[in-house]
Amino acid sequence: MHATIRIQPDDLSGDATRRLIAFHLAGMLETSPPESVHALDIDALRDPAVAFWSAWVQDDLAGIGALKTMDAERGELKSMRVDDRYRGYGIGRALLRHIVAEAGARGMRSLWLETGSTEEFLPAQRLYESEGFTKCGPFGGYAVDPYSMFMTRTL
């Protein structure tokens, strides 16, 4: 794919965005027990502490991602999802780099994330590792969970 990826703030009102968020949540529930699913729904993504972006290829939604402010120096990566049709085309990496840059521009000194620990999440884990994230213990309100992996990166 040689099309340009356009990443923009998203107000969560578009049908395509809402469908991809619902698809993301459903996928999380298929791979993890409900108590181990930490993906945010539409209402949680509307929290003022959360900034949300969508990635587009022409007029087609290709992915989503969010940054939740934990405090003045720390942010949490949330709701990263690439539409299955666009996997392997660099959409996730572009979104991740965009969010890392936004966090830095907001004065954050570190980013944190929780992702799945099972085989389905290996591509996400590899992406995060390739962009400088390292494994760590639970942070914020998270607890040790066999279905979760925690990672962090200094900015």
Side-chain angles (χ1 to χ4, degrees), residues 29-48:
L29 289 167
E30 287 176 9
T31 58
S32 304
E35 65 274 11
S36 296
V37 173
H38 304 288
L40 301 179
D41 64 15
I42 292 276
D43 291 335
L45 288 167
R46 290 187 191 280
D47 185 303

Side-chain angles (χ1 to χ4, degrees), residues 68-83:
K68 181 178 182 182
T69 300
M70 294 168 57
D71 58 42
E73 294 190 347
R74 299 181 308 149
E76 181 181 2
L77 186 68
K78 297 296 292 182
S79 300
M80 283 283 295
R81 178 65 192 214
V82 172
D83 186 291

Side-chain angles (χ1 to χ4, degrees), residues 16-37:
T17 299
R18 296 171 75 80
R19 277 192 305 271
L20 188 52
I21 292 168
F23 184 73
H24 176 59
L25 287 168
M28 297 302 97
L29 289 167
E30 287 176 9
T31 58
S32 304
E35 65 274 11
S36 296
V37 173

Side-chain angles (χ1 to χ4, degrees), residues 44-110:
L45 288 167
R46 290 187 191 280
D47 185 303
V50 177
F52 186 84
W53 294 273
S54 52
W56 299 81
V57 174
Q58 296 176 351
D59 293 328
D60 203 17
L61 178 64
I64 55 173
L67 171 64
K68 181 178 182 182
T69 300
M70 294 168 57
D71 58 42
E73 294 190 347
R74 299 181 308 149
E76 181 181 2
L77 186 68
K78 297 296 292 182
S79 300
M80 283 283 295
R81 178 65 192 214
V82 172
D83 186 291
D84 288 347
R85 298 169 299 148
Y86 288 99
R87 288 188 179 222
Y89 291 107
I91 305 297
R93 187 172 305 279
L95 269 166
L96 180 57
R97 288 180 176 173
H98 180 84
I99 293 169
V100 167
E102 284 285 334
R106 293 169 188 224
M108 293 179 182
R109 298 175 57 99
S110 63

